[in-house]
Amino acid sequence: MLDAPFPLRERVSLAADDRFTAAYPAHFGATVTARIGGEVVSATVADAWGDSENPMAPAAIRAKFAALADHAGVPPATAEALADAALALAGTGQVSSLLALLRSCPLKGPA
């Protein structure tokens, strides 16, 4: 999927917005505007999804991690074990099982 060229990049622009710059670091928001079939649509959020002001549900965090791990070439069972070990840190403070799992992960070079 990501190995293909990125023709969309050539049609995307990025600009700082004084409203968001002034609100940072208390808020980390953005506006996205897209032209779709001649129609212009826009959406704004004051706080990015996943920030403490706009938290992700635990299931969404796991799903995002699973998708990123899959893209990195981590087998699903290993990704699930990694997520469990990372989440266990809050209760146990033990990093040894997490480190062992990380060491067992295959490395995938840049696309």
Side-chain angles (χ1 to χ4, degrees):
M1 176 173 81
L2 292 178
D3 296 332
F6 297 99
L8 184 61
R9 286 184 185 178
E10 297 170 7
R11 300 182 355 214
V12 173
S13 62
L14 177 68
D17 184 312
D18 292 340
R19 296 174 299 161
F20 298 117
T21 302
Y24 181 81
H27 299 279
F28 196 70
T31 295
V32 64
T33 303
R35 189 166 290 125
I36 303 170
E39 180 183 1
V40 176
V41 293
S42 186
T44 299
V45 293
D47 299 292
W49 190 40
D51 280 358
S52 58
E53 295 81 9
N54 189 10
M56 297 171 75
I61 294 169
R62 278 189 173 269
K64 180 177 180 177
F65 178 77
L68 292 170
D70 179 62
H71 179 69
V74 178
T78 304
E80 187 173 339
L82 281 166
D84 290 341
L87 291 170
L89 288 174
T92 66
Q94 298 295 317
V95 298
S96 57
S97 61
L98 178 59
L99 290 175
L101 285 165
L102 288 169
R103 288 185 185 109
S104 73
C105 289
L107 296 177
K108 181 178 177 183

